[in-house]
């Protein structure tokens, strides 16, 4: 026993509990030191907006009249969000910060479990060790860092949505009685902020009628509750505040990594064309609908939800960098697809290289290099880096076959390595963190989700939009240079 496991690239992972614990502690210390010294901290700005708003509201003020002193930033969420934040009036500011940290940490744990739990079990890794390493890497992502240091709610909303995704897939098999509650998380998230409502569209497009009805009912009930509690605030929000972009910030600001942000930076100082924006949104919606129906046909719920998160970032008029936590499920799908591929194969290397490149980009804060000047070709390409990543994933994110089909799609240019026809082939588990040694994991045939679209297509492999089907063949054995403006609590 050497106490270490060597991966295919020669990297040695510890297999003893002591070795793993030392590695996790060292990695956590390095991540903590980095977070404390390198990235720009946002000083809980958005949490301050929430805290000031509910304090102002309970002191006989109006929700949407409150502005952070010395700024034009105010509360931009629906009234139900303010209702959910009322308990902050019972605690002082340091306690509010501590609660925000605790809630974000809990949401991060739920996100990792829903996104990576199945892959960790499939690979046979030590559960606590794999989640500890993943948690450290998760904390380095710029959208996660910004969400936490702004005191934002993005991770909480993502966790609510992914819990529904889990109930519709893995949770449906393990806890069938809980599947009836799928849609509640999406409904609550959509009532707190409008962006998650796009997941109701996903449920409708993929014919999850019960979950769609549940989500719609919950969102409507929450909105009506807010209307009953705060009728004046509800009127102001739906008729005035929701349409006032000055409360959010400049559309051309480099942190706006949406399709609208691209157009705004191109047309600055003029306003972007609404017609061009609308046409782009229609194209994105058509592409998304086609891809999520194919994911539903393949029984790949996680990819369908990941594609919907990508769409939300692209079509929202404002997608600040901290909103890009909605890209994380897509990154998890990409990594999982690479790990499923044959060990040592070209396809596995290509997929995992794509995943590493995207991860590094999302940690880099690269767009802030163009925070003051986004003109020229380099400005166009560089200031919109996260938009290009999001668009690329929407076009080419692999759809995994989960009902026993051998062929699984891959990133552009990757060689297809289908298994035996008619049955999904699972390669031997590689020697990676926590693995005691190689083991064969048998494929398992899972029933398709109830009510999903065109489930008869599950008997065929899913492929990329630009790929043609291949005949079966045997499977081969930097911190920002300057302080950006506050996000304005647009969430």
């Amino acid at each position: 026993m050497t106490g270490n496991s060597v991966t295919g690239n020669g990297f040695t992972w510890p297999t003893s509990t002591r070795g793993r614990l030392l590695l996790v502690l060292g990695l956590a210390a390095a991540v903590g030191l980095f977070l404390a010294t390198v990235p720009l901290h946002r000083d809980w700005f958005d949490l301050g907006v929430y805290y000031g708003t509910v304090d102002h509201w309970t002191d006989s003020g109006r929700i949407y009249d409150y502005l952070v002193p010395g700024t034009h930033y105010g509360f931009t969420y629906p009234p139900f969000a303010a209702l959910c934040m009322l308990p902050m009036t019972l605690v002082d500011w340091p306690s509010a910060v501590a609660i925000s940290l605790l809630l974000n940490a809990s949401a991060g744990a739920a996100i990792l479990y829903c996104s990576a739990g199945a892959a960790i079990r499939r690979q046979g890794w030590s559960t606590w060790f794999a989640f500890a390493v993943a948690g450290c890497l998760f904390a380095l992502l710029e959208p996660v860092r910004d969400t936490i240091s702004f005191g934002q709610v993005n991770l909480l909303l993502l966790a609510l949505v992914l819990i529904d995704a889990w109930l519709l897939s893995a949770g449906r098999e393990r806890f069938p009685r809980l599947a009836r509650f799928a849609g509640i998380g999406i409904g609550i998230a959509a009532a707190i902020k409008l962006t998650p409502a796009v997941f109701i569209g996903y449920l409708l497009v993929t014919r999850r009628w019960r979950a769609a009805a549940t989500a719609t009912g919950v969102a409507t009930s929450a909105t009506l509750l807010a209307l009953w509690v705060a009728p004046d605030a509800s009127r102001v929000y739906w008729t005035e505040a929701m349409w006032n972009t000055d409360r959010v910030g400049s559309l051309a600001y480099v942190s706006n990594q949406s399709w609208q942000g691209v157009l705004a930076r191109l047309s600055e100082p003029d306003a972007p064309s609404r017609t061009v924006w609308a046409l782009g949104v229609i194209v994105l919606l058509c592409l998304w609908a086609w891809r999520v129906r194919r994911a539903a046909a393949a029984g790949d719920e996680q990819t369908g939800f990941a594609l919907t998160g990508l769409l939300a970032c692209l079509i929202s008029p404002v997608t600040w960098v901290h909103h890009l936590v909605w890209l994380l499920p897509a990154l998890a799908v990409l990594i999982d697809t690479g790990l499923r591929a044959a060990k040592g194969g070209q396809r596995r290397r290509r997929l995992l290289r794509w995943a590493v490149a995207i991860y590094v980009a999302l940690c880099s804060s690269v767009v802030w290099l163009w925070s003051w000047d986004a003109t020229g070709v380099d400005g166009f390409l560089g200031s919109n880096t996260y938009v290009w990543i999001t668009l690329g994933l929407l076009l080419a994110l692999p759809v995994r076959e989960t009902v026993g089909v051998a062929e699984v799609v891959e990133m552009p240019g990757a060689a297809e390595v289908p298994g035996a026809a008619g049955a999904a082939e699972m390669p031997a588990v590689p020697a990676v963190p926590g693995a005691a040694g190689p083991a064969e994991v048998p494929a398992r045939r899972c029933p398709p989700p109830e009510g999903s679209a065109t489930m008869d297509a599950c008997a065929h492999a899913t492929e990329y939009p630009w790929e043609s089907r291949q005949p079966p063949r045997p499977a081969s054995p930097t911190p920002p240079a300057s302080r950006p403006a506050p996000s304005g609590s647009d969430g």
Side-chain angles (χ1 to χ4, degrees), residues 143-162:
V144 175
R145 300 191 318 247
D146 273 6
T147 289
I148 293 172
S149 66
F150 268 125
Q152 261 285 347
V153 298
N154 305 308
L155 293 177
L156 295 171
L157 301 182
L158 177 58
L160 286 171
V161 169
L162 289 185

Side-chain angles (χ1 to χ4, degrees), residues 279-333:
L279 290 174
V281 168
I282 292 172
V283 172
L284 291 169
L285 284 169
C286 292
L287 173 62
W288 163 80
W290 179 56
R291 296 225 64 207
V292 296
R293 286 181 65 86
R294 294 174 73 85
D300 192 353
E301 199 76 58
Q302 188 179 2
T303 296
F305 270 77
L307 289 166
T308 306
L310 298 171
L311 175 76
C313 291
L314 289 170
I315 67 174
S316 174
V318 177
T319 299
W320 299 138
V321 168
H322 57 78
H323 295 159
L324 296 176
V325 295
W326 296 103
L327 270 63
L328 305 187
L331 183 59
V333 167

Side-chain angles (χ1 to χ4, degrees), residues 140-230:
L140 289 175
L141 289 159
E142 184 183 10
V144 175
R145 300 191 318 247
D146 273 6
T147 289
I148 293 172
S149 66
F150 268 125
Q152 261 285 347
V153 298
N154 305 308
L155 293 177
L156 295 171
L157 301 182
L158 177 58
L160 286 171
V161 169
L162 289 185
I163 288 172
D164 274 353
W166 182 82
L167 289 174
L168 287 169
S169 52
R172 184 170 175 265
E173 289 186 356
R174 298 176 63 187
F175 305 100
R177 292 185 179 180
L178 293 179
R180 72 185 72 176
F181 299 111
I184 292 178
I186 291 174
I188 294 173
I192 293 174
K193 184 190 171 185
L194 298 181
T195 301
V198 72
F199 289 91
I200 299 178
Y202 166 77
L203 296 174
L204 292 172
V205 168
T206 57
R207 302 180 185 179
R208 269 62 165 183
W209 306 122
R210 178 169 182 160
T214 300
T216 303
V218 169
T220 302
S221 299
T223 302
L224 291 176
L225 175 63
L227 176 63
W228 177 67
V229 173

Side-chain angles (χ1 to χ4, degrees), residues 96-458:
V97 171
I99 292 171
S100 174
L101 289 171
L102 179 62
L103 289 175
N104 275 318
S106 301
I111 291 166
L112 287 174
Y113 178 81
C114 293
S115 299
I120 289 172
R121 289 191 297 272
R122 188 184 308 113
Q123 297 300 320
W125 296 339
S126 166
T127 304
W128 76 266
F129 179 58
F131 274 120
V133 172
C136 291
L137 298 177
F138 179 81
L140 289 175
L141 289 159
E142 184 183 10
V144 175
R145 300 191 318 247
D146 273 6
T147 289
I148 293 172
S149 66
F150 268 125
Q152 261 285 347
V153 298
N154 305 308
L155 293 177
L156 295 171
L157 301 182
L158 177 58
L160 286 171
V161 169
L162 289 185
I163 288 172
D164 274 353
W166 182 82
L167 289 174
L168 287 169
S169 52
R172 184 170 175 265
E173 289 186 356
R174 298 176 63 187
F175 305 100
R177 292 185 179 180
L178 293 179
R180 72 185 72 176
F181 299 111
I184 292 178
I186 291 174
I188 294 173
I192 293 174
K193 184 190 171 185
L194 298 181
T195 301
V198 72
F199 289 91
I200 299 178
Y202 166 77
L203 296 174
L204 292 172
V205 168
T206 57
R207 302 180 185 179
R208 269 62 165 183
W209 306 122
R210 178 169 182 160
T214 300
T216 303
V218 169
T220 302
S221 299
T223 302
L224 291 176
L225 175 63
L227 176 63
W228 177 67
V229 173
D232 183 62
S234 296
R235 178 191 60 79
V236 171
Y237 176 77
W238 295 107
T239 61
E240 300 175 26
M242 186 176 72
W243 313 100
N244 184 3
T245 58
D246 288 340
R247 298 173 64 90
V248 178
S250 170
L251 293 177
Y253 185 49
V254 74
S255 184
N256 185 12
Q257 293 291 301
S258 67
W259 166 232
Q260 178 85 302
V262 173
L263 296 178
R265 283 185 285 277
L266 282 174
S267 62
E268 196 177 24
D270 298 325
S273 168
R274 293 185 178 182
T275 301
V276 175
W277 176 79
L279 290 174
V281 168
I282 292 172
V283 172
L284 291 169
L285 284 169
C286 292
L287 173 62
W288 163 80
W290 179 56
R291 296 225 64 207
V292 296
R293 286 181 65 86
R294 294 174 73 85
D300 192 353
E301 199 76 58
Q302 188 179 2
T303 296
F305 270 77
L307 289 166
T308 306
L310 298 171
L311 175 76
C313 291
L314 289 170
I315 67 174
S316 174
V318 177
T319 299
W320 299 138
V321 168
H322 57 78
H323 295 159
L324 296 176
V325 295
W326 296 103
L327 270 63
L328 305 187
L331 183 59
V333 167
L334 186 58
I335 294 171
D336 180 54
T337 310
L339 292 173
R340 290 184 185 215
K343 181 180 178 182
Q346 181 184 18
R347 182 169 177 274
R348 180 188 180 98
R349 290 194 298 270
R350 287 182 182 273
L351 288 170
L352 294 180
R353 284 171 182 168
W354 273 105
V356 170
I358 292 171
Y359 173 81
V360 171
L362 289 175
C363 291
S364 67
S365 302
V366 63
V367 297
W368 299 106
L369 295 175
W370 290 271
S371 57
W372 298 114
D373 183 8
T375 60
V377 175
D378 67 313
F380 174 70
L381 296 176
S383 68
N384 300 307
T385 298
Y386 298 154
V387 180
W388 310 138
I389 290 174
T390 307
L391 182 60
L393 287 170
L394 183 64
L395 287 167
L397 185 68
V399 173
R400 303 159 301 177
E401 195 58 72
T402 61
V403 292
V405 178
E407 210 173 285
V408 183
V409 294
E410 56 189 322
M411 295 296 288
E416 293 191 33
V417 190
E425 183 177 63
M426 178 62 66
V429 176
V432 284
E440 292 293 336
V441 180
R444 185 158 61 98
R445 297 180 64 87
C446 304
E450 181 179 358
S452 60
T454 60
M455 294 313 297
D456 56 325
C458 289

Side-chain angles (χ1 to χ4, degrees), residues 1-37:
M1 290 290 293
T2 63
N4 294 308
S5 175
V6 181
T7 65
N9 60 8
F11 184 82
T12 301
W13 293 95
T15 57
S16 67
T17 300
R18 181 175 180 274
R20 291 170 181 167
L21 183 59
L22 289 174
L23 178 60
V24 168
L25 290 175
L27 183 59
V31 170
L33 180 63
F34 173 83
L35 294 178
T37 59

